[in-house]
Amino acid sequence: MTRRILLVNGPNLNLLGVRDPAVYGTATLADVERIAGDAAEAAGFELRSIQSNHEGVLIDAIHAAREDCQGIVINPGGLTHTSVALRDALTGVNLPFAEIHISDVNAREEFRRFSYLHDVAAVRVIGEGVNGYATAIAQLTALIP
C-alpha cells in the first residue's frame, strides 16, 4: 500500500516568489512542492499537492484525503485566522496534520497570531521559511506508524 501525505497550500500561496519577498522569500510554489516531495520521499511517503484560493476546494481535498492519505501538511494562509470550517474539516477526517507557516506569524500583525488550528495540529512549524515544509513532513511522518 502506498503511504501518502496530502500537502495543502491555501489562498495566495500561488504567489510565492512574487508576493512580498521580504516576508516570504523568493522561492516559488513549485519550489515548495519539490522540497516537500523530497522530504516525503525520504520518509517513505508519496506526496499529493493542492493549492487553491477557494476554501471549499481545500475542504473537499481534505475530505478526500481520508480515503488514501495517512496525514496532511497544511499552510492555510489567511484562512488560519478565519476558518472554523477548515478546522472542522481537518478534525473531521481523523488524520494527523501539521500546520506550517513560512513567516513567523507571531512576530507579525496581531491578527496573524491567532490560529484556529494551533490546538488541534499534531505538529506546528512556524518561521522556518520554505524549508519548514521539510521539517513539518519529517515531524509528521515520524508520528505515523
Side-chain angles (χ1 to χ4, degrees), residues 20-75:
D20 206 349
V23 173
Y24 300 107
T26 57
T28 65
L29 182 60
D31 295 328
V32 164
E33 290 175 349
R34 181 188 44 76
I35 289 166
D38 290 348
E41 184 179 338
F45 286 77
E46 179 180 283
L47 188 75
R48 180 169 64 227
S49 300
I50 183 171
Q51 185 282 324
S52 181
N53 296 316
H54 305 281
E55 184 176 29
V57 171
L58 301 175
I59 290 170
D60 288 344
I62 291 165
H63 288 178
R66 69 177 187 234
E67 300 297 327
D68 65 351
C69 293
Q70 286 69 49
I72 299 171
V73 173
I74 182 168
N75 183 337

Side-chain angles (χ1 to χ4, degrees), residues 2 16 28 34-35 40 48 66 70 76-77 79-80 88 102 114-115 129 139 141:
T2 301
L16 283 176
T28 65
R34 181 188 44 76
I35 289 166
R48 180 169 64 227
R66 69 177 187 234
Q70 286 69 49
L79 294 174
T80 304
D88 289 347
I102 295 169
F114 176 77
S115 166
Q139 290 180 10
T141 56

Side-chain angles (χ1 to χ4, degrees), residues 103-118:
S103 68
D104 181 357
V105 291
N106 295 316
R108 295 183 63 197
E109 303 95 336
E110 183 68 31
F111 71 88
R112 294 189 195 276
R113 297 178 189 166
F114 176 77
S115 166
Y116 274 104
L117 307 181
H118 81 278

